[in-house]
Amino acid sequence: MRAAGRLLAFARDLALPPRCPGCGEIVGAAHRFCATCWSSLRFIGPPWCAACNIPFDHDRGEAARCARCIAEPPAHAGVRAAVAYGAVARTVALRLKYARRTAYAETAARLMARHVPDDATLLIPVPLHRWRLWRRGYNQAALIADHLSRLSGIPADRTTLERCRATAPLRGHSRRARAQAVRAAFRLRAGEGAAALRGQHVVLVDDVYTSGATTDACIAVLRRGGVARVTVLAWTRVLDDDAAGTSTD
Ligand SMILES: [Zn+2]
Ligand SMILES: [Zn+2]
């Protein structure tokens, strides 16, 4: 965020009482949700698919995988998210991304921290194209990664993976069209950071996980750069309940 924006946010935080990130009601402490919004959040956790972490409605054993992952083993080592996509999760994501509510990056990170894998070695945020970064002033995924780094003690690298091509919003496009749109959008910046990727277990940090097209494109680039494993970690994730319900193991 640019200096003026940062100063404004700081002044606002000082002057105003903490508010619920979901509805704006005054709450007891910063980063806390009111009881109504809190109880409406659907936290994601086991039992879930061992490969993609889609929640199962009943426990099928730790190694059980959903039908989609059995048919096509994913390139990632898991897709973790704090909460399922819903009204409150969406509000937090939109305000963080478009309304300069950068404090929500910490709100999200606090609820995401428990999902950082024990053996993770490096956090990498999904990068923004530099034009978009310049216009918005900050990359919300990078802000989340910074807070996760502070909470977990795992270093964050926000420069090695870069977005070399700005892509139009992917909403409403088919799976194939999304994949095609982002295929060549990412690359590694040559240098020390790229050399240090070899053998790492990277946590790829994003705000919202939808189809996986963007993270798949990032993962392909990271794996080509020698990264051993990539776990995706997002604030919120769109759950395809039909897919989970019809899955077998
Ligand atoms: Zn609320
Ligand atoms: Zn799965």
Side-chain angles (χ1 to χ4, degrees), residues 19-27 32-38 40 88:
R19 288 179 180 274
C20 169
C23 69
E25 185 181 299
I26 292 175
V27 289
R32 249 189 233 158
F33 288 87
C34 74
T36 310
C37 289
W38 182 257
S40 79
V88 172

Side-chain angles (χ1 to χ4, degrees), residues 48-54 56 64-70 74 76 237:
W48 57 19
C49 167
C52 73
N53 306 109
I54 279 272
F56 288 151
R65 289 176 300 154
C66 72
R68 196 175 283 177
C69 290
I70 290 170
H76 58 67
R237 167 182 198 172

